[in-house]
């Protein structure tokens, strides 16, 4: 991973597309076996893995001898040895290969070793000699040689065959059963055939924080499913292909989970973001999603469609998720045989549950049941609530409310407030908000963004027209049903006039302060054209940690190293930050504005950062990403006082540009802002959208950017869950006035 990110960073600056077809292609053993079978003859010229490889014994030995003798396998089993030497265990020199015109012969060598067991083979004398075989590059038998190679089949398929994995066969019983289901449907039509378009693997990003909180992001299928027929796929075929990719995504997630905390499970997943190319695939994927995560205490979820071809590599499915170690077991009956020490310790803590889930499946007037196997909300460490995406469904009828996008957006906020109310909170406890609008609604009309922002602020100020705490009789000591007014209608009308919900004074303050990222997307579930996704402090955290606070910062992007670009039509020079159109001589530097919502001192924060630039300015994306991170971290570290190491996840939104280059720039920017190696980096997700707007927290910078459209937007989530839990325990029920 270290080498890959460095190469991607260099290629990004030069405007090149890196190719890594051997990356994550299969098991190391199968890959090395294919290399040897294809005629690669190599010897070890450096060893650095004592006692497994000894200089005077193993240097100048061939790869084939060490591999086929079983020596590498024994080292793998005993020391977790990297069979292909990717851990630096050994280096090789290739003496012969099918593409060589001549082979290299080592006439005289000597071994140089050190006291720490590292040894190097020094070549004193060598020569090249003609090969007896025919068919090398440049020979008359090129055509025959090429045909022979084609007859072997693609490398990635041969590696998978050695691993015992068919294209429609996944790693465990669930994947096998689900794949067979999809294959049966495909056989009936004779049109669906899962295959890889390329051998490129998209490696998930993983971050693990103290306390067992983890994030796995940007999980994509290892292949692009295509139809066996030459004709364009219809909607039914596309859905089946999406299911195949989804099954591979689930298999990758299961494998990743098994490597965390000694074996995490899907039951430990707290929240899922599911991005599809077409929302029409939603129903078919849901069945397999339910089989994977289960229907009992499932994670919360947000699912949207970003458009055909918008995801990296033309994939149809992308997933990321948050995990809390041991939370699946903690929410289920105790079992000493299954509970490890972490879970047993968590069960003893009766004050702060490791995780709690609100999963209501009965239709009522309260809030909509979830459209699929997921929960309305999940709370981590009794401190932070992650709400499932809320759309404008009328709870008792489960139908979208009439009246267009405004009515749906307003209903979305009402539904979110109802969910929070059931948890003892309100919209005043929000730390960050993400609002989805249909691309058809926005249509480059800035007036829609402005109206949406005002509607969101109004909903926040009135708590979505929900009387917080009334159902649970916690609205106040007076017990007034409607804030002292004679009926609900009068109360709601006064809420609109006063800009408050009549229950908490802080609601009026937070409504104008909560940072909101609003993005446009092609599709949402069940035909919705508006959706709201929130992260909130729990009522316990808000009351113990002095409520939620908001702030904004601003600064310009300084000149720096070059990279890929997005924006205007001018050509980009890789060694400068910007290049402008000839007709646009006077352009301003991009402005970075960040807003953050946080609760407690050093506990939890979410920063929303946006980059603004002239339409004629080509933006250096890597440098801009770096500045956005600097601005966000200034809020998180300087004001919320949360250590940089507690950053869990970075989610960036963009409207145009090459997703591979943007991903490379974003990863390079993240790597440059966190020290300590790859293990310290937050997980990263890059999301394509068709439009966006950011409503910043109140302050000196907010009004200036209300009418401007950002080039890039970003959310940075930081949580110190152990410190937050400690602070809540110290402050709960105590007054230090």
């Amino acid at each position: 991973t270290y080498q890959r990110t460095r190469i991607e960073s260099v290629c990004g600056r030069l405007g090149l597309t890196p190719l890594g077809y051997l990356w994550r292609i299969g098991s190391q053993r199968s890959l090395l076996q294919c290399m040897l079978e294809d005629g690669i003859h190599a010897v070890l010229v450096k060893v650095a893995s004592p006692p497994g490889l000894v200089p005077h014994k193993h240097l100048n030995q061939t790869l084939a001898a060490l591999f086929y003798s079983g020596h590498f396998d024994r080292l793998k089993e005993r020391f977790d040895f990297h069979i292909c030497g990717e851990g630096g265990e050994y280096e090789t020199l290739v003496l012969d290969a099918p593409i060589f015109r001549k082979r290299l012969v080592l006439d005289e060598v000597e071994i140089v070793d050190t006291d720490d067991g590292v040894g190097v083979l020094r070549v004193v004398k060598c020569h090249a000699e003609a090969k007896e075989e025919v068919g090398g590059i440049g020979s008359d038998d090129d055509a025959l040689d090429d045909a022979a190679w084609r007859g072997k089949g693609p490398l990635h398929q041969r590696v998978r065959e050695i691993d015992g994995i068919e294209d429609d066969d996944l790693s465990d019983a669930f994947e096998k059963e689900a794949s067979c289901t999809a294959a049966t449907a495909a056989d009936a039509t004779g049109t669906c055939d899962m295959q890889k378009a390329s051998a490129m693997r998209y490696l998930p990003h993983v971050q693990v924080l103290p306390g067992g909180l983890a994030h796995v992001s940007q999980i994509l299928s290892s292949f692009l499913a295509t139809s066996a027929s030459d004709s364009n796929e219809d909607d039914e075929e596309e859905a089946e292909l999406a299911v195949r990719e989804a099954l591979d995504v689930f298999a990758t997630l299961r494998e990743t989970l098994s490597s965390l905390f000694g074996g995490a499970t899907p039951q430990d997943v707290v929240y899922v973001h599911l991005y599809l190319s077409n929302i029409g695939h939603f129903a078919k994927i849901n069945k397999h999603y339910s089989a994977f995560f289960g229907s009992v205490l499932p994670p919360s979820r947000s699912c949207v469609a970003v458009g055909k071809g918008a995801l990296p590599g033309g994939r149809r499915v992308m997933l990321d998720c948050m995990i809390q170690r041991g939370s699946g077991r903690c929410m289920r009956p105790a079992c000493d045989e299954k509970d490890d020490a972490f879970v047993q310790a968590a069960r003893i803590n009766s004050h702060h549950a490791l995780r709690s889930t609100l999963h209501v499946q009965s239709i009522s007037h309260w809030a909509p049941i979830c459209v699929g196997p997921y929960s309305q909300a999940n709370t981590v460490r009794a401190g932070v609530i992650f709400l499932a995406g809320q759309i404008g469904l009328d709870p008792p009828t489960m139908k979208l409310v009439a009246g267009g996008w405004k009515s749906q957006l307003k209903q979305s906020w009402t539904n979110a407030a109802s969910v929070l109310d059931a948890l003892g909170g309100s919209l005043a406890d929000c730390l960050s908000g993400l609002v989805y609008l249909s691309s058809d609604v926005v249509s480059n009309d800035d007036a829609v963004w402005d109206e949406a922002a005002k509607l969101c602020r109004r909903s926040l100020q009135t708590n979505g027209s929900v009387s917080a705490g009334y159902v649970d009789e916690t609205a106040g000591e007076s017990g007034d049903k409607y804030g002292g007014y004679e009926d609900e209608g009068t109360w709601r009308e006064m809420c609109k006039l006063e800009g408050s919900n009549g229950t908490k004074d802080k609601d009026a303050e937070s409504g104008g302060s909560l940072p909101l990222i609003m993005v446009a997307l092609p599709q949402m579930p069940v035909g919705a054209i508006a959706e709201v996704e929130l992260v909130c402090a729990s009522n316990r955290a808000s009351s113990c940690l002095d409520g939620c606070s908001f702030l904004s910062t601003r600064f310009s992007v300084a000149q720096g190293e070059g990279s890929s670009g997005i924006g205007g039509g001018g050509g980009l020079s890789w060694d400068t930050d910007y290049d402008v159109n000839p007709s646009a001589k006077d352009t301003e530097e991009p402005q970075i504005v960040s807003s953050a919502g946080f609760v407690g001192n050093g506990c939890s924060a979410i920063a929303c950062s946006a980059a603004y630039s002239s339409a004629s300015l080509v933006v250096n994306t890597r440098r801009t990403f770096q500045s956005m991170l600097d601005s966000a971290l200034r809020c998180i570290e300087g004001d919320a006082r949360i250590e940089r190491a507690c950053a869990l996840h970075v989610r960036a939104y963009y409207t145009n540009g090459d997703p591979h280059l943007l991903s490379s720039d974003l990863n390079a920017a993240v790597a440059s802002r966190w020290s300590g190696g790859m293990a310290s980096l937050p997980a990263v997700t890059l999301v394509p959208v068709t439009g966006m707007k950011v409503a910043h927290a109140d302050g000196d910078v907010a009004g200036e950017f209300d009418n401007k459209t950002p080039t890039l937007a970003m959310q940075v989530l930081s949580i110190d869950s152990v410190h937050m839990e400690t602070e809540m325990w110290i402050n709960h029920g105590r007054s230090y006035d």
Side-chain angles (χ1 to χ4, degrees), residues 491-503:
W491 173 78
R492 290 191 177 185
E493 185 64 27
M494 294 305 296
C495 285
K496 296 178 182 178
L497 295 175
E498 298 174 358
S500 70
N501 70 347
T503 58

Side-chain angles (χ1 to χ4, degrees), residues 404-659:
W405 71 269
K406 293 181 183 179
S407 297
Q408 288 193 27
L409 181 56
K410 181 180 179 181
Q411 184 65 43
S412 298
W413 282 106
T414 298
N415 293 338
S418 297
V419 172
L420 288 172
D421 185 53
L423 297 171
S426 73
L427 293 178
D429 301 318
C430 292
L431 297 175
S432 177
L434 178 62
V435 177
Y436 298 108
L437 292 175
S438 169
S439 302
D440 294 335
V441 167
V442 177
S443 300
N444 298 319
D445 185 358
D446 287 338
V448 171
W449 293 117
D450 295 337
E451 290 181 69
K454 292 177 182 178
L455 193 154
C456 291
R457 293 299 186 207
R458 191 179 307 117
S459 295
L460 284 162
Q461 291 168 351
T462 61
N463 195 44
S465 299
V466 173
S467 179
Y470 168 66
V471 174
D472 298 318
E473 298 181 350
T474 59
E477 295 180 359
S478 64
D480 291 334
K481 186 171 183 179
Y482 298 113
Y485 297 105
E486 62 272 20
D487 56 45
E488 183 178 7
T490 304
W491 173 78
R492 290 191 177 185
E493 185 64 27
M494 294 305 296
C495 285
K496 296 178 182 178
L497 295 175
E498 298 174 358
S500 70
N501 70 347
T503 58
K504 293 184 179 181
D505 293 338
K506 64 180 179 178
D507 289 350
E509 300 174 1
S510 67
S513 298
L514 178 70
L516 294 170
I517 292 181
M518 300 181 292
V519 299
L521 291 168
Q523 297 169 313
M524 282 157 270
V526 300
I529 52 179
E531 183 172 343
V532 173
E533 178 187 325
L534 302 174
V535 179
C536 308
S538 69
N539 179 263
R540 186 182 184 91
S542 183
S543 60
C544 292
L545 306 176
D546 299 326
C548 303
S549 302
F550 307 94
L551 52 94
S552 295
T553 64
R554 164 192 172 183
F555 65 95
S556 301
V557 178
Q559 289 190 346
E561 300 175 5
S563 183
S564 60
I566 62 176
L572 180 71
S573 176
W574 66 269
D575 59 352
T576 60
D577 272 312
Y578 315 109
D579 193 8
V580 299
N581 293 327
S583 61
K585 299 294 184 182
D586 299 324
T587 55
E588 60 189 24
E589 292 182 340
Q591 301 291 311
I592 308 298
V593 179
S594 291
S595 301
F598 60 94
V599 62
N601 188 347
C603 297
S604 179
I606 301 180
C608 300
S609 185
Y612 298 87
S613 64
S614 169
S616 60
L617 188 65
V618 175
V619 179
N620 176 292
T621 49
R622 183 170 65 89
R623 181 58 188 167
T624 302
F625 279 136
Q626 288 174 334
S627 296
M628 293 172 74
L629 289 168
D630 289 338
S631 179
L633 290 171
R634 179 181 299 179
C635 295
I636 293 172
E637 291 182 301
D639 297 284
R641 299 185 180 182
I642 301 177
E643 294 183 2
R644 184 171 303 208
C646 294
L648 179 66
H649 183 241
V650 175
R651 190 182 309 276
Y653 302 90
Y654 71 98
T655 54
N656 64 80
D658 186 320

Side-chain angles (χ1 to χ4, degrees), residues 200 202 219-224 244-246 248-249 315 317:
M200 181 177 289
Y202 293 92
I219 307 175
L220 293 149
S221 172
S222 60
F223 58 86
L224 175 63
R244 297 245 178 153
E245 291 185 18
D248 193 69
V249 166
R315 301 300 197 268
V317 181

Side-chain angles (χ1 to χ4, degrees), residues 233-279:
E233 295 90 354
D234 58 23
D235 292 343
E236 187 68 22
E237 286 179 310
E238 274 289 309
E240 292 295 343
L241 296 175
V243 167
R244 297 245 178 153
E245 291 185 18
L247 292 173
D248 193 69
V249 166
F250 295 146
T252 300
L253 176 56
R254 185 182 294 275
E255 180 181 359
T256 305
L257 289 172
S258 66
S259 68
L260 296 175
F261 314 121
T265 70
Q267 295 177 340
D268 297 322
V269 175
V270 174
Y271 200 98
V272 173
H273 280 92
L274 185 62
Y275 300 100
L276 305 177
S277 62
N278 189 317
I279 205 67

